[in-house]
Amino acid sequence: MREGIHPELHLIDVVCACGNTFKTRSTKDELRLEICSACHPFFTGKQKLVDSAGRVERFRRRYGQQQAEG
């Protein structure tokens, strides 16, 4: 390998929004995640409904009324 062209790897703590932390190597100084293997539904087997920007409520308002009327 050529000298001086590769970025330095640091041992960092990765922090998830659920509170889980683990160590890995990265070229960045810090890494924050929204979802990790400890809270992801695929790995936990639990389904979690994540409402981003009110989309679930907007869907229920839009399509919930049509089902009641028709």
Side-chain angles (χ1 to χ4, degrees):
M1 291 195 322
R2 290 180 51 191
E3 295 292 325
I5 63 169
H6 300 287
E8 289 188 31
L9 289 177
H10 308 285
L11 187 63
I12 63 166
D13 288 324
V14 180
V15 180
C16 180
C18 70
N20 186 29
T21 61
F22 56 92
K23 292 191 181 285
T24 190
R25 293 181 187 224
S26 176
T27 57
K28 296 186 177 194
D29 294 331
E30 130 182 10
L31 190 59
R32 295 188 178 271
L33 305 174
E34 293 180 16
I35 195 161
C36 67
S37 61
C39 59
H40 193 279
F42 180 78
F43 297 108
T44 61
K46 299 176 186 173
Q47 184 151 359
K48 183 168 75 171
L49 185 62
V50 178
D51 184 11
S52 58
R55 293 180 184 165
V56 174
E57 290 301 320
R58 186 172 39 197
F59 177 84
R60 288 182 180 160
R61 276 195 313 250
R62 184 179 297 163
Y63 297 108
Q65 292 175 353
Q66 290 178 353
Q67 290 176 352
E69 293 171 1

